[in-house]
Amino acid sequence: MPSSPRSARPAPAPNEPGSAALSDVPADWPALWEQVLAAREGRAVPASRRATLAWRADAGWCIRGPVSARAAALFDLYKPLLDARAARGAPWVVAQMGQSLDGFVATATGDSYYVNGAHSLVHLHRLRALCDAVLVGAGTVAIDNPQLTTRRVPGPNPVRLLLDPEARLDGTSRALRDGQSPTLWLCDARHAARARERLGRGAPGAEVLPVAGLSAGPGEARGPDARRLLAALAERGLRVLFVEGGGVTVSRFFAAGVLQRLHLSVAPVLVGDGRRGLRVPAREVMAECPRPPARLVVLGDDMLWDLDLAALG
């Protein structure tokens, strides 16, 4: 049962992936990222002596002017999020998962530090900055106690969503207590009173958001009703969403068919046994297995697969 989260982990030692200096950020990227943030917030895009973002009705946000190949590749990775914000249509959902070469997100003890390196961590924070809200499951909250902020990059903190249909958390997680960004504790309406009691006072910016029919009951195999959840969040103005983890939560959103994009970051590490990463519904024939359009982007030592799930129909 998820309860008290682990205490904050110490800063990575110099030889750990989380401390590595970013070696793939070109000189023209910071100015381009500033323009990306301006486009995300609906502000006037600042002029640049080199490359400038421009909106095209037939192609969405595009780069106008010279830019390095690496900066262009990074922009292409985040362009779908900008275009989704501009479209102002139905909820749009991107998910990310970092896993080992042999398909694990953590060891058998639940240790996931450090599956991916510093480059992937910064990418994670960029995704947070470009979305209205970031969502994690109760298991991730209980094990990792994430802050879910954008402290590694310039950009706004998203609304933090803790998906806990049965209200099993104890209400002490950092995301509920630190006041760094608004946080919603998402649970089935039947369990909202228990969540509110545990949240109590001393939780600035945090509240319980009950969703009727989010879960059919304890032990429900199919997991939370993702479409009901997205509808409830859209009513709050949270339309561009980032499902950050963990593996079970991302896999359930994939199975529900609500993901438009999936960023699968594969690290050059072998775990052997542990907590599985992405799981998808099984097919009996290879020809029936989904094969979405994909791009491969190098993030330090990690290889990120940018999968266009919306193209699967």
Side-chain angles (χ1 to χ4, degrees):
M1 168 179 173
S3 55
S4 297
R6 292 180 180 177
S7 60
R9 293 175 183 262
N15 63 337
E16 292 177 323
S19 65
L22 299 188
S23 58
D24 69 336
V25 177
D28 56 347
W29 173 250
L32 190 58
W33 177 249
E34 181 183 354
Q35 295 183 44
V36 168
L37 291 177
R40 175 245 189 269
E41 297 165 8
R43 296 186 281 110
V45 174
S48 171
R49 289 179 298 176
R50 299 194 67 193
T52 301
L53 293 188
W55 174 261
R56 290 176 46 188
D58 62 335
W61 286 103
C62 301
I63 297 176
R64 183 175 57 196
V67 65
S68 67
R70 180 61 182 172
L74 289 173
F75 172 75
D76 287 344
L77 197 56
Y78 306 118
K79 170 179 161 59
L81 284 79
L82 289 183
D83 292 347
R85 297 188 67 85
R88 300 184 182 277
W92 192 94
V93 189
V94 59
Q96 185 273 349
M97 183 177 295
Q99 63 183 46
S100 66
L101 285 170
D102 49 352
F104 297 98
V105 298
T107 66
T109 64
D111 184 17
S112 60
Y113 290 77
Y114 297 86
V115 174
N116 294 109
H119 299 75
S120 291
L121 291 175
V122 169
H123 168 66
L124 196 70
H125 286 229
R126 291 180 187 140
L127 289 179
R128 293 174 182 171
L130 294 180
C131 289
D132 295 326
V134 56
L135 180 147
V136 293
T140 295
V141 176
I143 294 171
D144 293 336
N145 197 15
Q147 296 180 65
L148 304 175
T149 63
T150 59
R151 60 196 179 277
R152 290 177 179 264
V153 300
N157 288 327
V159 174
R160 299 174 292 189
L161 308 175
L162 312 185
L163 180 57
D164 184 21
E166 308 299 328
R168 298 168 63 199
L169 294 170
D170 65 6
T172 66
S173 67
R174 287 190 296 185
L176 290 170
R177 300 290 170 179
D178 63 18
Q180 295 190 70
S181 182
T183 304
L184 298 177
W185 186 349
L186 308 172
C187 65
D188 191 284
R190 295 171 300 170
H191 308 296
R194 179 166 69 243
R196 291 192 178 105
E197 179 181 2
R198 291 177 179 173
L199 187 60
R201 299 183 179 182
E207 64 175 295
V208 174
L209 178 60
V211 180
L214 182 61
S215 174
E220 174 61 30
R222 65 177 174 82
D225 189 321
R227 296 187 184 277
R228 284 181 184 266
L229 177 60
L230 295 181
L233 295 174
E235 291 180 359
R236 290 284 188 112
L238 304 175
R239 195 178 52 80
V240 179
L241 306 174
F242 172 29
V243 179
E244 185 171 318
V248 171
T249 299
V250 171
S251 297
R252 283 175 169 169
F253 272 73
F254 181 98
V258 298
L259 298 181
Q260 277 70 46
R261 212 86 182 186
L262 174 62
H263 289 180
L264 187 62
S265 185
V266 181
V269 62
L270 298 168
V271 176
D273 188 20
R275 299 190 179 187
R276 298 295 310 181
L278 181 66
R279 297 190 180 192
V280 302
R283 304 292 200 280
E284 294 184 356
V285 180
M286 183 61 71
E288 297 176 354
C289 296
R291 194 180 293 267
R295 291 190 313 119
L296 190 60
V297 180
V298 178
L299 293 179
D301 291 333
D302 301 335
M303 304 298 289
L304 184 141
W305 289 95
D306 176 19
L307 306 176
D308 183 4
L309 303 184
L312 295 176

